[in-house]
Amino acid sequence: MSLNERPQSQSRSGLLLVLRRDKEKTTNEKIIQSALKQFDFHKITKTDTSLMRKDLIITGKNRMVYLKQIWDSFRESELVITDRLHGLIFAFITGTPVVAFDNSTHKIKNSYFDWLFRFENVQYIDNNAEIDELVEKIKIVRTAGASYEYNDDFGSEYKEIINYLRS
């Protein structure tokens, strides 16, 4: 999460839904769809961080090309809703406002409360939440907006680790 893939400035539009399609999925997409009816997004794109195409072979030589394409889709969006850990991380490193649902492994919840809870444009929402709570979280991150400011200060509690790694 210390990568800085934020654009210096860029217009953003639309919503990026980055949702699981596997056994770890616990998100109720009907609640998301109901909540989104209260907003007017220019476009809504549904994707996943896993590139599941049989014709696609990712190698050491081409992986950065595909990764940058995924990051570009985050940079171009005004908001991300995700239940994938890498969706949360990619939103964070690109400065894109994000509402993150947990999944069956609780990676999202733990990452949020361990690292990201202090960022207003990053919001966690429990899978048992009602539509009104999701609407409120979307309003919070939209008001906070995109973050173009990068700050790698993860707090004094990590200074010893950071200094050790830098040495």
Side-chain angles (χ1 to χ4, degrees):
M1 285 188 260
S2 63
L3 286 176
N4 181 359
E5 292 297 325
R6 291 158 177 80
Q8 294 302 313
S9 66
Q10 179 175 333
S11 63
R12 296 173 182 257
S13 68
L15 169 70
L16 186 63
L17 290 172
V18 185
L19 300 172
R20 302 192 76 90
R21 297 177 286 183
D22 60 15
K23 64 183 180 179
E24 290 183 31
K25 181 181 187 67
T26 58
T27 307
N28 182 342
E29 288 190 51
K30 289 180 181 174
I31 289 195
I32 295 172
Q33 295 302 326
S34 296
L36 293 180
K37 290 178 182 176
Q38 298 188 37
F39 298 92
D40 183 27
F41 287 101
H42 172 67
K43 66 178 179 176
I44 297 175
T45 304
K46 189 172 180 181
T47 188
D48 195 347
T49 55
S50 294
L51 298 174
M52 297 182 175
R53 290 180 16 211
K54 293 180 184 200
D55 64 323
L56 181 66
I57 298 173
I58 298 176
T59 66
K61 291 182 180 180
N62 70 5
R63 69 179 168 204
M64 284 308 293
V65 171
Y66 292 111
L67 188 55
K68 288 182 183 211
Q69 287 174 357
I70 292 171
W71 288 344
D72 284 344
S73 67
F74 280 77
R75 281 187 204 89
E76 294 166 1
S77 300
E78 66 183 276
L79 173 67
V80 171
I81 295 178
T82 189
D83 61 359
R84 281 205 164 273
L85 178 59
H86 283 91
L88 174 63
I89 293 169
F90 293 169
F92 180 72
I93 68 173
T94 60
T96 308
V98 59
V99 176
F101 284 90
D102 208 3
N103 57 36
S104 66
T105 64
H106 306 293
K107 293 181 279 192
I108 300 278
K109 181 179 183 178
N110 292 326
S111 296
Y112 175 80
F113 286 108
D114 286 347
W115 295 97
L116 303 172
F117 65 92
R118 66 177 176 250
F119 298 95
E120 194 173 11
N121 68 340
V122 179
Q123 294 290 312
Y124 168 80
I125 188 164
D126 189 83
N127 286 325
N128 297 321
E130 298 293 325
I131 294 168
D132 293 345
E133 187 177 351
L134 177 55
V135 167
E136 188 59 32
K137 297 282 185 177
I138 292 170
K139 288 178 182 177
I140 289 169
V141 298
R142 287 184 90 187
T143 300
S147 168
Y148 298 111
E149 202 173 299
Y150 179 69
N151 181 357
D152 66 355
D153 179 15
F154 285 101
S156 60
E157 63 269 24
Y158 302 107
K159 291 291 184 204
E160 189 173 331
I161 295 170
I162 292 168
N163 291 337
Y164 176 78
L165 293 173
R166 286 184 177 156
S167 68

